[in-house]
Amino acid sequence: MRLILLGPPGSGKGTQAQRLVQRYGIAQLSTGEMLRAAVAAQTPVGLKAKDIMASGGLVPDEIVIGIISDRLDQPDAAKGFILDGFPRTVPQAEALDELLKKKHMRLDAVIELRVNESALLQRVENRVAQMRARGEDVRVDDTPEVLTKRLASYRSLTEPLIHYYSERRKLLTVDGMMTIEHVTREIRRILTAIGAVEAKAKKAAVAKRIAKGAKKGAKTAARKASKPAARGARASRKGTKALGKAGKPAFKGAKTASRKAAASSKARGAGKTRKAAKKVTKKRAKA
Ligand code: ADP
């Protein structure tokens, strides 16, 4: 599974990325973390990035693209990854497309965590307080002034990626204002709906639903009807991917397909009954 998490600072990308790592055993590729490590180790990249990061600006594209390209080649990324904090600009997204193409990798989805900006400052303040309580070093860019700058750069440089990925039918939006647990569950649900995870279980569930619908009608008719229904469900699953919205349509599509199958066989049954009833009425009239 290959994902991008998109959202402003404080939207919960890091938290959700960690949960995805734990559940699916994929790698978290956070450019922020990598850059902070480079700053701490005083590598040439770190030295270049240090002041830019402290002031809330963006590190030059070529630096982060280079870091990501190397990171994608590490063995732990082969199983799948979540990009957190990258891409952050349209040129970075274009470079990522190129990189993935070269490495024969395909992106499954871009998950946007949508949050009210008014809540972000409070969230970051809470994060700072918690880090202090744990005796951890607080990020130098987690101050109200720098956060304002980070938010402004998100709005002007990163937000256009929402359009970029929605045009490419990759974007899935999740309400990031829900509790951490709810957001996790919603992400899991949409990943299942687009077939990125637990595809087998989903297929089995769809088949079961179709079979249920078919039982209601006449057996022969239902057997015939279940084929187009299955095709409908498959097509609608594709539709969800294409649509790029929270995954509901796939589920609905499967339901509709099975409901249609049941309805058509029922209708056929009803037609036969009506004909038989007409015959009896005619006979009676003759008599
Ligand atoms: P945030 O919580 O603001 O999303 P991150 O930990 O992702 O923070 O990043 C911290 C800082 O690292 C950013 O403000 C920026 O200076 C730098 N940075 C991280 N990722 C990128 C990137 N893809 N492009 C440019 N700069 C980046």
Side-chain angles (χ1 to χ4, degrees):
M1 180 169 37
R2 300 185 191 100
L3 304 173
I4 293 177
L5 276 180
L6 202 61
S11 59
K13 294 187 304 278
T15 309
Q16 296 302 330
Q18 275 169 18
R19 289 176 158 227
L20 288 163
V21 166
Q22 272 172 10
R23 189 172 175 97
Y24 302 115
I26 50 181
Q28 178 185 359
L29 313 187
S30 156
T31 39
E33 293 291 327
M34 291 180 225
L35 288 168
R36 274 189 288 278
V39 171
Q42 299 186 332
T43 64
V45 164
L47 292 176
K48 270 189 208 158
K50 192 175 180 215
D51 293 339
I52 304 174
M53 289 174 75
S55 69
L58 286 192
V59 174
D61 285 348
E62 60 276 16
I63 293 184
V64 279
I65 292 165
I67 294 179
I68 283 293
S69 175
D70 293 344
R71 193 60 188 81
L72 288 175
D73 292 335
Q74 304 288 310
D76 66 338
K79 220 182 143 190
F81 53 78
I82 308 160
L83 288 167
D84 156 18
F86 181 90
R88 240 180 172 90
T89 62
V90 171
Q92 286 182 17
E94 286 165 351
L96 178 66
D97 283 347
E98 279 301 306
L99 278 178
L100 294 178
K101 209 165 142 194
K102 257 193 231 153
K103 295 179 200 291
H104 305 290
M105 292 173 168
R106 194 181 159 276
L107 202 62
D108 287 296
V110 177
I111 299 174
E112 180 211 357
L113 295 179
R114 191 167 286 180
V115 283
N116 296 344
E117 249 190 42
S118 54
L120 295 178
L121 185 61
Q122 189 58 52
R123 279 192 181 187
V124 175
E125 274 174 4
N126 292 347
R127 177 164 79 192
V128 170
Q130 282 163 7
M131 286 175 90
R132 281 219 175 93
R134 287 196 297 262
E136 292 169 10
D137 283 340
V138 173
R139 279 170 52 169
V140 287
D141 58 349
D142 268 352
T143 62
E145 300 76 39
V146 180
L147 184 69
T148 310
K149 192 165 169 209
R150 279 157 62 200
L151 271 175
S153 103
Y154 178 82
R155 240 178 273 125
S156 61
L157 297 166
T158 312
E159 232 169 38
L161 293 182
I162 292 171
H163 178 68
Y164 183 91
Y165 286 115
S166 112
E167 259 195 338
R168 284 159 183 77
R169 300 180 186 281
K170 292 281 181 203
L171 191 78
L172 301 158
T173 299
V174 170
D175 177 7
M177 295 306 291
M178 302 186 289
T179 63
I180 294 177
E181 197 49 49
H182 270 92
V183 175
T184 307
R185 250 185 271 153
E186 183 60 10
I187 292 178
R188 211 181 295 155
R189 192 184 72 76
I190 61 173
L191 288 178
T192 310
I194 64 162
V197 291
E198 292 163 23
K200 274 185 196 162
K202 172 109 181 100
K203 265 185 204 164
V206 171
K208 212 175 167 185
R209 227 173 287 131
I210 289 164
K212 243 188 184 175
K215 253 188 193 172
K216 283 184 188 166
K219 267 189 182 171
T220 339
R223 218 177 295 134
K224 275 184 199 163
S226 73
K227 281 182 186 166
R231 234 176 291 155
R234 257 198 310 276
S236 92
R237 225 171 319 152
K238 272 186 194 161
T240 317
K241 243 184 186 168
L243 213 84
K245 273 289 164 192
K248 268 186 184 161
F251 211 65
K252 255 194 212 158
K255 264 190 186 162
T256 321
S258 76
R259 229 182 282 131
K260 267 188 193 165
S264 72
S265 64
K266 255 190 186 174
R268 251 172 268 157
K272 273 183 191 168
T273 324
R274 257 199 311 275
K275 267 185 196 165
K278 260 189 187 170
K279 259 187 188 174
V280 174
T281 325
K282 262 189 188 171
K283 266 186 189 171
R284 275 194 197 146
K286 266 187 188 175

